[in-house]
Amino acid sequence: MLAVFLLLSILGFGSYFTQFFFPHFKPMARLSTLILTGLIISGWLLFISAKYFGYELGLLSTTIIGLSLIINLIASNHLQKSQSLKIKWQKIKKKLKKTNWLLIVSIIAWSGVLTQLSITHNFLNKQGAYYSGGGAYGDLALHSTLIHFFGLQPNLDLTSPIYAQQPTSYPFMIDFIAGQLLRSGWSLQISLIITSLPIMIALILLIYVVIKANKGSTRAWNITLLLFLLNGGVGIAYFFQDWQKSNLNLFHFLLNQPFEYAHLADKNLRWSNIITDYLLPQRGMVVGLAIFALFLVLFFQINRNNKISLKKSLAGMSILIGLSPWWHIHTYITLLPLFGWSLLWWRHQRKLSTKDIVLLILPAVILSIPQLYWQFTNTMNTKFMHFQPGWMKGNQHFILFWIKNMGLEIFIWLGSICIAYKQIKQKKRCDFFLLIFPLIILFILTNLIIFQPHDYDNMKFMLFSYLGVCVVTALWLDKNWPKKNILKIIAIVLITFTISTGFVSVIREMTLSWKIANQSSIMIATKIKQKTNPEGIFLTSDEHNHPVSMLAGRKILLGYRGWLWTHGIDYSQTVSDIQLMFAGTPKTLDLLKKYRIKYIYIGENERKKWQANLEFFDQHFPKIISDPNVSIYQVN
């Protein structure tokens, strides 16, 4: 029951935040915003209450407050809008006559795709084992680790569960709130889905609101979603090459693709599909894109002189930006300068004063300072930023690299620049220019400077730019949609070819199902949760889906190295020490004490990869959990 109440309280916080800061929003914008802001606000309140009052009292008090807000909101709305059932039914009939069925069908279609992927990739339980697939198979193991870590720990602890020697610097808030859902009684799969799928749907709805703020049609919205969500470049050419070699019919090959054709590293195709490689595995990216879409809504509403509560809405936006670093740091780095740029323009238009700008930017800055200090002081080093012209072009020419990676999507970028320039030249409006100019600068910077250890992660910045140019290009296409049938066919064919690589990538993702945890891993994780101290540190091997971290939420000395180096962590000395500890050398006992190891896990990988000395551990430590393939020792 607490699990349901917590979910309702999230909606309560979102409803009040949206009603206060964005009172002018219509139903679709209001629904999308309350889902997004409810998750963010309740996540922060749960975190603060856990820090100062403990998890149990914090969870209970936050839930009660959220429930009281939603009850009060329902009661007040009922009093304000009480009317006869007959009048209500008449209003409903009028609305049904004006229903945009294309919009509804499109929402159902996109929601259906995202729901299927969310169910099948977020630790689906089949015959006692957990399944995922594609890009989610790697990253969701880390998210599951953080969810179990925050959901099972007795006291708030920000030590990294995958590198127990230092605090975590990974933006963890989306997994923190999922951990509280787990704590309240939801399953791992439901906790993952609740904190991602509604935000994905809110994102596509907010993009619709952006289009409507520019007086665009449902067609413009559909074009935006197709171009943005089904990106992928020219990988479709390799798809057809492999199909011809396969001796399979096209439909059979489509459902059994050997590769993700939007992301072929051996072909230097790096512009991977947003759904398969970002919305599903990069959970924080979903929240970040939704916040960005909300900013675009306000940006165009203000520039189109819509009647809105200007300062109040901008204050709400500033608060969300300030709260974003621990949800998705790339969102904060992108939005803060874009927000400041917009405020300066509105000052130029005399919609705001200098004092207003200072007061409106303060929440975004002040709220972010402790988050940025925590993140960057723990991991920032010389490995984070370096000059690398061409992003991941390798030995290819810069222009050839991007033509190959984007294909016809190149014209979306070039078209948006031309549209913005034409708008300035005509001196009618300049909102497209005000948006496109900084986004193009962002894209250029990400092609010159690598901002984190893994150069591929620069695409997280590029996606914000890409969403902006897709919106502008789709609005222009909608306004200038050809009237002659032959030109319509040509336009549809070009759009189809542009999205074809992304389409086959998403189809492939929908067919994937990879086992991420077998029955024995789940059983051993259950025993670990029952028989070990949740605050103890484990010595284990470093595979990404290790049951100690991924399913039991325990801290381990060294997690998957493919994650650690992307976080800027130098683990070389730790690796050497782990080899000595597993070998059972004279230094083992001192090293176990140095790293504060409380438990030693020895399974198949520890024996094969690290050559664990079972005789040594049997002689020195009591075995608290024994399994045909696993032994767990307690270090006294």
Side-chain angles (χ1 to χ4, degrees), residues 389-391 393 395-403 443 447:
W391 186 38
K393 71 179 184 65
N395 295 323
Q396 279 187 316
H397 189 278
F398 171 76
I399 295 176
L400 179 61
F401 168 77
W402 276 116
I403 291 175
F443 182 72
N447 275 274

Side-chain angles (χ1 to χ4, degrees), residues 224-241:
T224 303
L225 292 182
L226 288 171
L227 295 177
F228 182 65
L229 296 178
L230 298 182
N231 72 305
V234 300
I236 191 67
Y238 298 104
F239 170 88
F240 281 109
Q241 285 181 11

Side-chain angles (χ1 to χ4, degrees), residues 423-563:
Q423 189 187 64
I424 285 289
K425 192 174 180 180
Q426 292 177 343
K427 298 181 180 180
K428 291 182 179 180
R429 299 195 324 262
C430 59
D431 47 356
F432 287 167
F433 172 79
L434 290 169
L435 176 66
I436 294 302
F437 177 69
L439 293 181
I440 292 297
I441 289 178
L442 175 64
F443 182 72
I444 292 171
L445 286 174
T446 54
N447 275 274
L448 295 174
I449 302 170
I450 301 300
F451 290 94
Q452 51 270 302
H454 192 10
D455 46 9
Y456 176 70
D457 285 342
N458 263 26
M459 190 172 167
K460 295 176 183 178
F461 289 114
M462 297 175 186
L463 291 181
F464 295 106
S465 298
Y466 187 56
L467 177 55
V469 300
C470 284
V471 167
V472 171
T473 303
L475 286 167
W476 184 87
L477 285 171
D478 180 51
K479 184 179 179 181
N480 298 276
W481 191 253
K483 295 180 181 180
K484 294 183 179 180
N485 289 335
I486 185 63
L487 294 179
K488 288 181 181 178
I489 293 172
I490 292 173
I492 292 171
V493 169
L494 289 174
I495 291 173
T496 301
F497 184 76
T498 303
I499 66 173
S500 57
T501 300
F503 173 76
V504 299
S505 294
V506 172
I507 293 296
R508 175 180 182 268
E509 197 74 17
M510 295 177 73
T511 65
L512 296 180
S513 183
W514 302 342
K515 187 182 292 184
I516 194 169
N518 57 29
Q519 292 181 350
S520 61
S521 294
I522 297 172
M523 290 175 62
I524 202 70
T526 302
K527 293 179 181 179
I528 290 170
K529 287 185 280 188
Q530 293 171 346
K531 298 185 178 182
T532 66
N533 185 338
E535 297 178 321
I537 299 174
F538 275 74
L539 175 65
T540 67
S541 61
D542 60 341
E543 62 263 28
H544 83 291
N545 59 342
H546 201 291
V548 170
S549 54
M550 187 181 77
L551 299 178
R554 299 307 194 246
K555 293 178 286 189
I556 59 179
L557 181 58
L558 180 75
Y560 179 53
R561 283 174 265 184
W563 295 328

Side-chain angles (χ1 to χ4, degrees), residues 224-285:
T224 303
L225 292 182
L226 288 171
L227 295 177
F228 182 65
L229 296 178
L230 298 182
N231 72 305
V234 300
I236 191 67
Y238 298 104
F239 170 88
F240 281 109
Q241 285 181 11
D242 291 343
W243 168 54
Q244 290 178 339
K245 296 175 184 177
S246 68
N247 296 321
L248 300 173
N249 64 60
L250 182 59
F251 183 73
H252 191 194
F253 183 78
L254 182 65
L255 298 181
N256 296 273
Q257 299 174 56
F259 310 109
E260 182 193 343
Y261 287 95
H263 192 185
L264 296 171
D266 60 323
K267 308 294 184 183
N268 207 22
L269 294 181
R270 310 290 184 173
W271 183 247
S272 55
N273 180 257
I274 291 166
I275 291 178
T276 61
D277 285 5
Y278 286 92
L279 294 190
L280 291 175
Q282 308 278 346
R283 285 165 46 79
M285 188 81 210

Side-chain angles (χ1 to χ4, degrees), residues 160-174:
S160 172
I162 58 170
Y163 196 70
Q165 304 166 63
Q166 66 181 46
T168 183
S169 60
Y170 186 82
F172 59 81
M173 282 301 295
I174 193 168

Side-chain angles (χ1 to χ4, degrees), residues 557-587:
L557 181 58
L558 180 75
Y560 179 53
R561 283 174 265 184
W563 295 328
L564 297 179
W565 79 267
T566 64
H567 300 171
I569 296 173
D570 182 5
Y571 50 78
S572 54
Q573 184 59 52
T574 305
V575 171
S576 299
D577 290 343
I578 288 176
Q579 289 173 335
L580 292 174
M581 282 186 273
F582 272 128
T585 67
K587 293 183 178 181

Side-chain angles (χ1 to χ4, degrees), residues 307-323:
K307 294 180 180 179
I308 70 172
S309 304
L310 179 62
K311 295 177 185 178
K312 186 181 285 190
S313 297
L314 290 175
M317 192 71 240
S318 183
I319 290 171
L320 291 176
I321 293 172
L323 295 176

